[in-house]
Short mmCIF file of all heavy atoms in Angstrom, two decimals:
data_model
loop_
_atom_site.label_atom_id
_atom_site.label_comp_id
_atom_site.label_asym_id
_atom_site.label_seq_id
_atom_site.Cartn_x
_atom_site.Cartn_y
_atom_site.Cartn_z
N LEU A 156 32.31 17.86 -4.34
CA LEU A 156 33.65 18.37 -4.16
C LEU A 156 33.91 19.65 -4.92
O LEU A 156 34.56 20.59 -4.43
CB LEU A 156 34.68 17.30 -4.57
CG LEU A 156 34.60 15.96 -3.84
CD1 LEU A 156 35.62 14.97 -4.43
CD2 LEU A 156 34.83 16.14 -2.35
N ASP A 157 33.41 19.71 -6.14
CA ASP A 157 33.70 20.88 -6.99
C ASP A 157 32.64 20.99 -8.06
O ASP A 157 31.91 20.02 -8.31
CB ASP A 157 35.09 20.74 -7.62
CG ASP A 157 35.58 22.03 -8.25
OD1 ASP A 157 34.91 23.08 -8.02
OD2 ASP A 157 36.59 22.00 -8.97
N THR A 158 32.54 22.16 -8.69
CA THR A 158 31.60 22.38 -9.78
C THR A 158 32.32 23.10 -10.91
O THR A 158 33.05 24.09 -10.67
CB THR A 158 30.39 23.23 -9.31
OG1 THR A 158 29.74 22.52 -8.28
CG2 THR A 158 29.42 23.44 -10.48
N SER A 159 32.11 22.64 -12.13
CA SER A 159 32.72 23.25 -13.31
C SER A 159 31.73 23.17 -14.44
O SER A 159 31.44 22.07 -14.93
CB SER A 159 34.03 22.54 -13.67
OG SER A 159 34.60 23.12 -14.83
N GLY A 160 31.22 24.32 -14.86
CA GLY A 160 30.25 24.33 -15.94
C GLY A 160 28.98 23.58 -15.56
O GLY A 160 28.40 23.80 -14.52
N ASP A 161 28.59 22.64 -16.46
CA ASP A 161 27.38 21.83 -16.23
C ASP A 161 27.65 20.59 -15.41
O ASP A 161 26.75 19.79 -15.16
CB ASP A 161 26.76 21.42 -17.56
CG ASP A 161 26.28 22.62 -18.35
OD1 ASP A 161 25.94 23.63 -17.72
OD2 ASP A 161 26.21 22.53 -19.59
N TYR A 162 28.92 20.39 -14.98
CA TYR A 162 29.28 19.19 -14.25
C TYR A 162 29.68 19.50 -12.81
O TYR A 162 30.10 20.62 -12.48
CB TYR A 162 30.45 18.47 -14.97
CG TYR A 162 29.97 17.58 -16.09
CD1 TYR A 162 29.63 18.13 -17.35
CD2 TYR A 162 29.89 16.21 -15.94
CE1 TYR A 162 29.22 17.32 -18.38
CE2 TYR A 162 29.45 15.40 -16.99
CZ TYR A 162 29.12 15.95 -18.20
OH TYR A 162 28.70 15.14 -19.23
N SER A 163 29.54 18.49 -11.96
CA SER A 163 29.98 18.57 -10.56
C SER A 163 30.84 17.36 -10.25
O SER A 163 30.55 16.26 -10.71
CB SER A 163 28.76 18.58 -9.62
OG SER A 163 27.98 19.77 -9.81
N GLN A 164 31.94 17.61 -9.53
CA GLN A 164 32.78 16.51 -9.09
C GLN A 164 32.29 16.00 -7.73
O GLN A 164 32.05 16.80 -6.82
CB GLN A 164 34.25 16.96 -8.96
CG GLN A 164 35.20 15.81 -8.67
CD GLN A 164 36.63 16.28 -8.50
OE1 GLN A 164 36.86 17.37 -7.95
NE2 GLN A 164 37.59 15.49 -8.98
N VAL A 165 32.10 14.69 -7.65
CA VAL A 165 31.55 14.09 -6.45
C VAL A 165 32.44 12.93 -6.03
O VAL A 165 33.19 12.37 -6.83
CB VAL A 165 30.09 13.61 -6.63
CG1 VAL A 165 29.19 14.78 -6.95
CG2 VAL A 165 30.01 12.56 -7.72
N ARG A 166 32.30 12.56 -4.74
CA ARG A 166 33.01 11.38 -4.25
C ARG A 166 31.95 10.41 -3.75
O ARG A 166 31.11 10.75 -2.92
CB ARG A 166 33.96 11.76 -3.12
CG ARG A 166 34.70 10.56 -2.54
CD ARG A 166 35.90 10.99 -1.70
NE ARG A 166 35.51 12.03 -0.75
CZ ARG A 166 36.41 12.90 -0.21
NH1 ARG A 166 37.67 12.87 -0.60
NH2 ARG A 166 35.99 13.80 0.64
N GLY A 167 32.01 9.19 -4.30
CA GLY A 167 31.05 8.18 -3.91
C GLY A 167 31.38 7.49 -2.62
O GLY A 167 32.42 7.78 -1.97
N GLU A 168 30.57 6.52 -2.25
CA GLU A 168 30.78 5.79 -1.01
C GLU A 168 32.07 4.96 -1.04
O GLU A 168 32.65 4.64 -0.01
CB GLU A 168 29.57 4.88 -0.74
CG GLU A 168 28.29 5.65 -0.50
CD GLU A 168 27.09 4.74 -0.29
OE1 GLU A 168 27.25 3.52 -0.52
OE2 GLU A 168 26.01 5.24 0.07
N ASN A 169 32.54 4.61 -2.25
CA ASN A 169 33.79 3.83 -2.37
C ASN A 169 35.02 4.71 -2.40
O ASN A 169 36.14 4.21 -2.52
CB ASN A 169 33.75 2.93 -3.59
CG ASN A 169 33.53 3.75 -4.86
OD1 ASN A 169 33.48 4.98 -4.84
ND2 ASN A 169 33.43 3.05 -5.98
N GLY A 170 34.85 6.05 -2.34
CA GLY A 170 35.96 6.98 -2.31
C GLY A 170 36.40 7.49 -3.67
O GLY A 170 37.27 8.37 -3.76
N ASP A 171 35.86 6.96 -4.78
CA ASP A 171 36.26 7.41 -6.11
C ASP A 171 35.71 8.80 -6.38
O ASP A 171 34.60 9.14 -6.00
CB ASP A 171 35.74 6.44 -7.18
CG ASP A 171 36.38 5.06 -7.07
OD1 ASP A 171 37.47 5.00 -6.47
OD2 ASP A 171 35.79 4.09 -7.58
N ARG A 172 36.55 9.62 -7.08
CA ARG A 172 36.12 10.95 -7.50
C ARG A 172 35.76 10.91 -8.98
O ARG A 172 36.59 10.53 -9.80
CB ARG A 172 37.24 11.95 -7.25
CG ARG A 172 37.64 12.09 -5.80
CD ARG A 172 38.63 13.23 -5.59
NE ARG A 172 38.99 13.39 -4.19
CZ ARG A 172 39.65 14.43 -3.72
NH1 ARG A 172 40.03 15.41 -4.55
NH2 ARG A 172 39.96 14.49 -2.45
N VAL A 173 34.55 11.32 -9.26
CA VAL A 173 34.06 11.30 -10.65
C VAL A 173 33.28 12.57 -10.89
O VAL A 173 32.94 13.33 -9.96
CB VAL A 173 33.18 10.06 -10.88
CG1 VAL A 173 33.99 8.78 -10.80
CG2 VAL A 173 32.01 10.01 -9.88
N TRP A 174 32.99 12.79 -12.18
CA TRP A 174 32.20 13.97 -12.57
C TRP A 174 30.82 13.53 -13.06
O TRP A 174 30.71 12.55 -13.78
CB TRP A 174 32.94 14.76 -13.65
CG TRP A 174 34.18 15.43 -13.14
CD1 TRP A 174 35.42 14.86 -13.01
CD2 TRP A 174 34.28 16.77 -12.69
NE1 TRP A 174 36.30 15.76 -12.50
CE2 TRP A 174 35.64 16.96 -12.29
CE3 TRP A 174 33.40 17.84 -12.61
CZ2 TRP A 174 36.12 18.18 -11.83
CZ3 TRP A 174 33.89 19.06 -12.15
CH2 TRP A 174 35.22 19.22 -11.73
N ILE A 175 29.81 14.30 -12.69
CA ILE A 175 28.44 13.99 -13.07
C ILE A 175 27.73 15.30 -13.38
O ILE A 175 28.10 16.37 -12.87
CB ILE A 175 27.71 13.24 -11.91
CG1 ILE A 175 26.28 12.85 -12.33
CG2 ILE A 175 27.65 14.11 -10.66
CD1 ILE A 175 25.56 12.01 -11.26
N ARG A 176 26.77 15.23 -14.31
CA ARG A 176 26.03 16.46 -14.64
C ARG A 176 25.34 16.99 -13.36
O ARG A 176 24.73 16.25 -12.61
CB ARG A 176 25.00 16.18 -15.70
CG ARG A 176 25.55 16.13 -17.11
CD ARG A 176 24.42 16.06 -18.14
NE ARG A 176 24.96 16.17 -19.48
CZ ARG A 176 25.21 17.33 -20.11
NH1 ARG A 176 24.96 18.46 -19.49
NH2 ARG A 176 25.72 17.35 -21.33
N SER A 177 25.44 18.30 -13.16
CA SER A 177 24.85 18.93 -11.97
C SER A 177 23.32 18.74 -11.93
O SER A 177 22.74 18.65 -10.86
CB SER A 177 25.18 20.42 -11.94
OG SER A 177 26.58 20.61 -11.88
N SER A 178 22.72 18.68 -13.15
CA SER A 178 21.27 18.51 -13.21
C SER A 178 20.81 17.13 -12.73
O SER A 178 19.64 16.92 -12.48
CB SER A 178 20.77 18.77 -14.63
OG SER A 178 21.38 17.85 -15.53
N ASP A 179 21.79 16.19 -12.67
CA ASP A 179 21.42 14.85 -12.21
C ASP A 179 21.60 14.69 -10.70
O ASP A 179 21.46 13.58 -10.19
CB ASP A 179 22.31 13.80 -12.92
CG ASP A 179 22.00 13.71 -14.40
OD1 ASP A 179 20.88 14.09 -14.76
OD2 ASP A 179 22.88 13.28 -15.18
N LEU A 180 21.90 15.76 -9.99
CA LEU A 180 22.00 15.74 -8.54
C LEU A 180 20.82 16.47 -7.90
O LEU A 180 20.23 17.39 -8.49
CB LEU A 180 23.32 16.41 -8.09
CG LEU A 180 24.62 15.73 -8.54
CD1 LEU A 180 25.81 16.57 -8.09
CD2 LEU A 180 24.72 14.32 -7.99
N GLN A 181 20.49 16.12 -6.66
CA GLN A 181 19.46 16.80 -5.92
C GLN A 181 19.92 16.98 -4.48
O GLN A 181 20.79 16.25 -4.00
CB GLN A 181 18.13 16.02 -5.97
CG GLN A 181 18.23 14.62 -5.41
CD GLN A 181 16.94 13.82 -5.66
OE1 GLN A 181 16.27 14.01 -6.67
NE2 GLN A 181 16.62 12.93 -4.72
N GLU A 182 19.34 17.95 -3.81
CA GLU A 182 19.82 18.31 -2.47
C GLU A 182 19.05 17.60 -1.37
O GLU A 182 19.28 17.88 -0.18
CB GLU A 182 19.73 19.82 -2.28
CG GLU A 182 20.62 20.61 -3.22
CD GLU A 182 20.56 22.10 -2.97
OE1 GLU A 182 19.75 22.51 -2.10
OE2 GLU A 182 21.28 22.85 -3.66
N VAL A 183 18.15 16.73 -1.72
CA VAL A 183 17.39 15.99 -0.70
C VAL A 183 17.62 14.50 -0.94
O VAL A 183 17.94 14.08 -2.06
CB VAL A 183 15.89 16.32 -0.79
CG1 VAL A 183 15.63 17.78 -0.43
CG2 VAL A 183 15.33 16.00 -2.15
#
Side-chain angles (χ1 to χ4, degrees):
L156 302 176
D157 193 10
T158 299
S159 178
D161 295 334
Y162 277 79
S163 295
Q164 187 182 35
V165 297
R166 179 165 50 203
E168 296 177 351
N169 58 3
D171 294 340
R172 299 187 179 191
V173 293
W174 291 84
I175 184 175
R176 281 189 174 274
S177 300
S178 59
D179 293 337
L180 297 176
Q181 59 188 33
E182 296 182 358
V183 295

